[in-house]
Amino acid sequence: QVLLKRDVPVVETYCPGAHVVWIPNAVPQYEQEAHPGVKKQMYTIIQAARLNKAQKRQHLLVDAFARVAADFPDWRVELWGGGNESGAAYAEELRRKIRDYGLEGRVLLKGESRHIIDEYCRADIFCFPSAYEGFPLAMTEAMSAGLPVVTFRSCGAAAELVEDGATGLLADDGADALADRLRVLMEDRKARASMGRAAREAMRAYQPDRIWDMWDHLLRETAEN
């Protein structure tokens, strides 16, 4: 069993004759919904993940936002998530970077949330600067809530789940490219709204009932053979 369709040919190449089945993770389907196309006094770019420099790379979002912040005074960034001891050290590094950019009050380390859906529904863009992922649950949950995504095309799992220009935008790696893609959505409420709706609809393919049915079919097929 593999989580992403792109993994199927890889497994088949290295395991000739293997019976490979694609079953993704289930994604929650929310009654609540974000409204990224609504006019607001303050707009939010949100990111949710444990604080981790090597993989989650929250610093790239801070760097990217610093490049566009002066042009968008009615925008802020919220970084949700905790971490272990190394995460605490990284948090201090992020706070120093935020101070150096003069972005206190506009880039916020929010800690952990027990109801992240509430935060998604108040946000306008979900930014996902990870270097690599398996099946990115935080990103797919944000999409299921109706948020457009900006992520890196070099993060294969994220790039497979985000249709560039339809459910979000894919950036080349680096803070400059990420800032450029964020800018596109920050200045276009209609694009945020349409991509958010498309993202929500795309995640219906991962409804829990559908995924459980795939598992049930696989287990029954295995038992019969």
Side-chain angles (χ1 to χ4, degrees):
Q1 178 260 339
V2 295
L3 294 178
L4 295 170
K5 284 185 176 179
R6 66 183 175 91
D7 295 330
V8 173
V10 176
V11 176
E12 290 176 337
T13 297
Y14 288 98
C15 302
H19 178 46
V20 183
V21 178
W22 172 68
I23 302 180
N25 281 345
V27 177
Q29 308 292 304
Y30 300 111
E31 290 186 8
Q32 294 170 264
E33 183 176 0
H35 298 283
V38 173
K39 190 173 183 179
K40 304 174 183 177
Q41 289 186 329
M42 181 64 69
Y43 302 94
T44 303
I45 300 167
I46 193 170
Q47 199 262 358
R50 73 183 187 280
L51 297 179
N52 180 277
K53 186 173 185 177
Q55 181 186 1
K56 304 300 184 179
R57 306 194 298 181
Q58 284 90 347
H59 61 280
L60 286 178
L61 174 51
V62 178
D63 290 339
F65 185 69
R67 287 156 167 76
V68 299
D71 295 332
F72 297 93
D74 51 352
W75 282 80
R76 65 187 172 199
V77 170
E78 293 185 356
L79 302 175
W80 288 89
N84 52 22
E85 185 175 340
S86 63
Y90 185 40
E92 284 305 310
E93 180 180 335
L94 290 171
R95 291 188 184 97
R96 286 195 299 272
K97 184 181 285 288
I98 291 165
R99 287 195 297 270
D100 289 344
Y101 282 131
L103 291 174
E104 302 98 322
R106 295 192 61 194
V107 179
L108 309 172
L109 273 64
K110 302 290 286 186
E112 297 180 354
S113 172
R114 293 184 178 273
H115 302 283
I116 194 65
I117 178 61
D118 294 338
E119 313 309 333
Y120 289 158
C121 288
R122 286 193 284 267
D124 301 279
I125 298 171
F126 185 85
C127 186
F128 198 66
S130 288
Y132 58 90
E133 290 288 338
F135 188 94
L137 280 173
M139 187 190 81
T140 54
E141 289 170 358
M143 294 173 71
S144 185
L147 285 179
V149 172
V150 177
T151 188
F152 289 118
R153 66 179 74 252
S154 58
C155 182
E160 181 171 329
L161 291 162
V162 175
E163 184 179 353
D164 191 27
T167 60
L169 296 176
L170 299 179
D172 293 332
D173 215 6
D176 287 335
L178 187 63
D180 287 343
R181 296 294 85 191
L182 286 171
R183 178 185 291 275
V184 170
L185 286 183
M186 292 167 76
E187 62 189 10
D188 193 336
R189 286 193 292 118
K190 289 183 178 180
R192 296 198 302 273
S194 64
M195 290 186 193
R197 287 192 298 268
R200 185 173 171 88
E201 185 62 31
M203 290 302 103
R204 297 193 189 282
Y206 304 93
Q207 293 180 54
D209 286 350
R210 292 187 180 185
I211 305 306
W212 308 150
D213 286 347
M214 294 171 73
W215 275 108
D216 183 66
H217 177 76
L218 175 61
L219 292 172
R220 290 178 184 275
E221 181 183 54
T222 302
E224 290 171 359
N225 294 330

